[in-house]
Amino acid sequence: MASEVEQKYLGMFAKQTAKDQPELSAALYKVLGLSTLLQRKLVRARKQRKLDPTRPTKSLDLYRHINWMGREGYAIIETIIPMVVNEVELRVLIFKLKASFLHVFALFEFSPRTKMSVLSTIQQQQQQNSNNTNQTLKDVNYIKPAMEAFRRAYELAKENVPGIHPLRLGVVLEYSAFMFDCIRDHEEARRMAKKGVEDALDVVTVLEDDEMFSDAQDLVGSLVVLAKRATPATPQLPQGPINGAGEKNRSLGDSPTQSGIGMGQHTEEVKRRRSKTTYDLNGNVLKTGK
């Protein structure tokens, strides 16, 4: 789901468009509110699964709330897409959030009865017989469209923003997490995360803004953790959306310290490269370091 960094961008874009595009601004504020509340519920759901994944107990009500909020957010995102055709960064963010909502459904929607009304824009396949499993319905309705949405968001990010941009890093991070937790392609997830780190380090000097640099640094650190994430020894239930637990995308399994990952050396490399020649986002030289 939307990380703190992405929520910050949502608020910024909503404020910027308030005067000239009030309808777009209002929709962005709604998505911001929903994503903030949804993130808290995702944290709770993840903790409950860790306690005992075999017992539904209160989890069912929580999952219903998550899916209701996800459905509302997804519907708003669909109305926003036609309004951001010419907005480069905002378009990247909106397509990423579309993929995020589908990621939530893939992880938390388990009720066959409610599936037919959750995503009206996705063509529903007819149920061949009453013995179809829950997993089959889940795969048909959410995995494929979620994969397509992540691919689209990833393509937009690669075409329009540099590798060190927080929005692009956010796309790579959740796309990698989706590949790991839902597709179960652990090697591809790690490869994608590693590639994201390399792309960021290659153009780290384009960032002039200290706040953007700090956000990018956190996201690079999270990608490093995911790139080193071990393949589960036995099949597990998904642990919830990867960037929906706590501070800026810090919910990638174990912490860097617990995993023995040298995240510090990667963030130091980001700082070192940034201290040299500085460019703007178009690649023009702004200043040369000592």
Side-chain angles (χ1 to χ4, degrees):
M1 200 46 238
S3 65
E4 289 182 13
V5 173
E6 289 160 350
Q7 290 173 3
K8 179 171 63 179
Y9 273 93
L10 274 172
M12 180 185 72
F13 288 131
K15 184 177 180 180
Q16 290 177 352
T17 57
K19 183 177 180 180
D20 297 330
Q21 297 175 281
E23 185 178 352
L24 173 59
S25 177
L28 291 174
Y29 276 124
K30 288 179 182 178
V31 174
L32 175 59
L34 277 170
S35 66
T36 302
L37 295 173
L38 182 56
Q39 186 180 48
R40 297 172 187 170
K41 291 187 178 294
L42 292 173
V43 173
R44 287 179 54 199
R46 177 172 177 163
K47 289 179 178 177
Q48 287 185 11
R49 287 185 175 189
K50 282 186 174 181
L51 289 174
D52 188 352
T54 64
R55 295 179 58 195
T57 59
K58 296 182 179 179
S59 296
L60 291 179
D61 287 336
L62 180 57
Y63 294 166
R64 291 190 188 100
H65 292 159
I66 287 172
N67 289 316
W68 180 85
M69 296 175 74
R71 182 179 69 244
E72 294 300 307
Y74 185 89
I76 298 172
I77 290 293
E78 286 292 296
T79 66
I80 291 176
I81 288 176
M83 295 188 275
V84 296
V85 175
N86 299 318
E87 305 290 338
V88 176
E89 291 184 351
L90 180 54
R91 186 170 175 80
V92 171
L93 176 58
I94 292 304
F95 272 87
K96 189 271 179 185
L97 291 177
K98 176 180 179 178
S100 294
F101 281 117
L102 289 167
H103 188 183
V104 169
F105 292 135
L107 289 169
F108 290 99
E109 174 56 87
F110 299 109
S111 172
R113 186 171 59 85
T114 62
K115 286 183 181 298
M116 304 306 291
S117 62
V118 171
L119 299 178
S120 60
T121 58
I122 296 177
Q123 183 177 5
Q124 302 291 340
Q125 297 189 6
Q126 292 185 349
Q127 187 174 347
Q128 296 183 359
N129 58 66
S130 59
N131 294 323
N132 278 354
T133 65
N134 212 17
Q135 181 66 31
T136 300
L137 285 171
K138 175 180 162 185
D139 289 344
V140 167
N141 287 332
Y142 299 112
I143 297 297
K144 183 176 179 179
M147 174 67 83
E148 293 173 351
F150 274 117
R151 284 175 179 164
R152 177 61 173 149
Y154 186 57
E155 290 170 1
L156 280 173
K158 285 205 304 181
E159 292 170 2
N160 294 288
V161 292
I164 193 63
H165 197 292
L167 291 180
R168 177 165 166 177
L169 289 169
V171 172
V172 176
L173 180 60
E174 189 168 352
Y175 191 4
S176 302
F178 174 78
M179 293 296 295
F180 197 99
D181 290 329
C182 296
I183 305 301
R184 308 295 189 188
D185 190 342
H186 304 131
E187 285 300 322
E188 177 61 18
R190 287 189 285 262
R191 186 204 65 78
M192 191 179 298
K194 182 179 178 181
K195 180 69 163 54
V197 173
E198 293 172 349
D199 290 344
L201 292 177
D202 285 344
V203 293
V204 69
T205 53
V206 304
L207 287 185
E208 272 289 284
D209 184 83
D210 288 337
E211 187 175 1
M212 287 182 66
F213 175 72
S214 177
D215 293 337
Q217 197 173 358
D218 287 339
L219 290 163
V220 166
S222 294
L223 282 170
V224 170
V225 176
L226 183 51
K228 298 289 185 178
R229 191 175 177 186
T231 300
T234 56
Q236 299 177 357
L237 285 174
Q239 294 298 315
I242 289 304
N243 57 357
E247 58 175 322
K248 303 172 184 174
N249 299 287
R250 293 293 191 186
S251 55
L252 288 165
D254 297 329
S255 68
T257 302
Q258 293 170 327
S259 304
I261 308 303
M263 187 178 74
Q265 63 187 357
H266 289 270
T267 54
E268 286 301 318
E269 177 69 3
V270 171
K271 290 180 180 179
R272 185 186 68 78
R273 296 195 187 188
R274 188 191 183 221
S275 65
K276 296 183 179 181
T277 304
T278 305
Y279 304 83
D280 62 15
L281 294 181
N282 295 318
N284 301 315
V285 177
L286 295 176
K287 66 180 182 181
T288 303
K290 296 181 180 180

